[in-house]
Amino acid sequence: MTTRTEIRVPDIGDFEKVPIIEVLVAEGDTIEREQSLVTLESDKATMEVPSTAAGKLVELKVSEGDEVSEGDVIGVVEAEGNGSGSDEDRDSEKKQKSEEKKAAEEQQESPKEDTPGKGREREKASKRESGAAASKDADGKDLPPPPVPFTEMGRDPSSIPHASPTVRKLGRELGVDLANVQGSGDRGRITADDLKQHVKQRMESGAPPGTAGGGLDIAGPPKVDFAKFGEVEEKPLSRIQKISGPNLHRNWVTIPHVTQFDEADITEMEAFRKASKAEAEEAGTKMTPLVFLIKAVVAGLKRFPKFNTSLTPDGESLVWKKYFHIGVAVDTPNGLMVPVIRDADSRSLLELAQDLTELSGKARDGKLSREEMQGGCISISSLGGIGGTAFTPIINAPEVAILGVSKAETKPVWNGEEFAPRLMLPLSLSYDHRVIDGADAARFTQYLCHVLGDVRRLML
Ligand code: CAO
């Protein structure tokens, strides 16, 4: 006996006229029970519609782009036999049910997908489970399968990547957050090939699949149509921004940063600086507080050599450097650049001032060579000429610390007997906590304060 079963769109919640974005079978195909026939995609998510019967698909009533609602016929399946099923059928049905149950359990255990809307989905999933035990009616006929829920309901729709459940499942199996995968399909839809390509690229770059670097799985930024809110203009980032952006991001997310703040009394240093201004001008340069800071940092590296190290890429050892090359962040019209002053320990204050003038000039003119930006031991980022009281600079890997400098201000400081006006320089030292302990960082900044408080010590 031949039985004909119409396969209909199951309960899909409150959705109406949901577009079919993929037809997964063709007329004449022999299909299994529960085999996916089409993929639907609403504004919020995608789902596959499974067949409720096994047999030959004799009629396919839909095509890609059609819109369907609950109850619409997708196709007709014809099967030989009385429908009661052989032992083999029953075995495969049992297996199917146990897989369904396992999938529902996995979904409940997955903390990543634990969004408020999931509560409803879980309820449906558990109903589905209890329903699965009674998937035949009193006459032993197959009941339609329970509704397959749209996935990831309750999440911000704009943050949900478009992908079929098969691709989502594959993503879960590979440990890839689809938010990190670039979709090549219609409306950015992620195909299985996109996923494979993503994994391949990650393997080639040495990063684990699904990661944005160093084992982190970071969602992409939200896509916002700003033009909806007012007039906008899009301009590409500068070449330097494009190069430095990923490095800054990597350093920020992969290095455990801590920033130690301190204040150096530079009243006497400032008097000396002003007194040496004429000599600096004669030498064709400018003596700014930064020149003294470079000297003070070199003294700090000598006193605390751990600040002059780099972690090996495997994180197993430290490389201790015996040279003193200092990077200086320079603000240029095209973005931030960090030229390196070589062998700063063997340079006088005037020579350091000349190096700084030359390198920052080259940076602004876009004339720095690659070598002039390499080999730094530690960096200084001075915003003192602009303003501000403190900030948290990002470490320039593979260095393990960076000194931020803000604007010196005259403040009343208690000298044990009275408040006296003192010129105080704010320091912000960010350090890699894998290498440097908080106590070391506090000692380092205190030492900087100590030598800047009496610059004669810089000559010792
Ligand atoms: N407190 C008070 N005044 C300061 C100061 C401080 N900490 N640092 C500098 N000044 C003064 C200088 O003395 C100078 O004043 P005078 O002309 O009266 O002497 C004025 O501010 C301007 O200094 P400058 O900026 O020209 O020189 P500099 O040596 O301090 O800095 C350079 C040189 C290249 C580092 C700087 O021009 C620059 O680009 N800074 C920005 C760095 C940056 O962007 N960091 C952020 C990185 S993270 O995005």
Side-chain angles (χ1 to χ4, degrees), residues 209-370:
T211 66
L216 293 170
D217 198 354
I218 296 173
K223 285 180 193 143
V224 177
D225 177 11
F226 299 103
K228 276 200 322 209
F229 309 110
E231 195 185 329
V232 291
E233 188 187 353
E234 191 172 316
K235 290 181 181 176
L237 293 180
S238 72
R239 199 179 62 84
I240 293 171
Q241 283 174 313
K242 282 183 191 161
I243 295 168
S244 62
N247 289 337
L248 285 167
H249 185 211
R250 179 204 59 211
N251 295 345
W252 183 245
V253 300
T254 60
I255 301 174
H257 281 69
V258 180
T259 306
Q260 172 74 18
F261 302 103
D262 217 327
E263 272 186 329
D265 182 340
I266 59 164
T267 316
E268 264 88 54
M269 185 196 99
E270 186 62 4
F272 177 64
R273 185 182 77 86
K274 282 190 173 147
S276 57
K277 235 178 166 176
E279 275 157 283
E281 275 165 19
E282 253 176 53
T285 185
K286 194 171 153 190
M287 191 71 84
T288 62
L290 185 53
V291 179
F292 294 85
L293 279 154
I294 296 168
K295 264 279 182 225
V297 165
V298 169
L301 294 183
K302 286 185 173 170
R303 183 69 167 247
F304 302 96
K306 207 185 246 185
F307 285 79
N308 196 3
T309 62
S310 285
L311 267 173
T312 52
D314 61 6
E316 298 278 327
S317 333
L318 275 183
V319 177
W320 298 73
K321 296 161 206 165
K322 314 281 167 148
Y323 52 83
F324 302 89
H325 304 335
I326 310 295
V328 178
V330 177
D331 179 33
T332 81
N334 290 322
L336 179 71
M337 305 209 73
V338 189
V340 175
I341 296 179
R342 303 210 108 68
D343 300 312
D345 56 317
S346 60
R347 311 287 284 161
S348 69
L349 283 169
L350 270 180
E351 285 171 333
L352 286 176
Q354 282 163 337
D355 290 347
L356 189 59
T357 307
E358 188 195 326
L359 287 171
S360 57
K362 274 189 175 181
R364 292 198 176 104
D365 296 342
K367 291 192 174 143
L368 282 175
S369 67
R370 182 183 283 264

Side-chain angles (χ1 to χ4, degrees), residues 33-34 91-100:
R33 192 171 183 275
E34 292 298 325
D91 281 353
S92 91
E93 202 174 298
K94 257 191 203 165
K95 198 173 151 211
Q96 178 73 37
K97 280 177 196 163
S98 101
E99 273 172 12
E100 260 179 28

Side-chain angles (χ1 to χ4, degrees), residues 48-66:
E48 283 174 12
V49 175
S51 173
T52 50
K56 189 171 175 187
L57 185 68
V58 288
E59 276 181 62
L60 181 62
K61 303 215 175 218
V62 292
S63 49
E64 215 173 290
D66 286 357

Side-chain angles (χ1 to χ4, degrees), residues 113 219 243 301 351 380 406 415 456 460:
E113 296 182 358
I243 295 168
L301 294 183
E351 285 171 333
I380 303 178
S406 298
N415 65 13
R456 287 172 306 179
L460 291 174

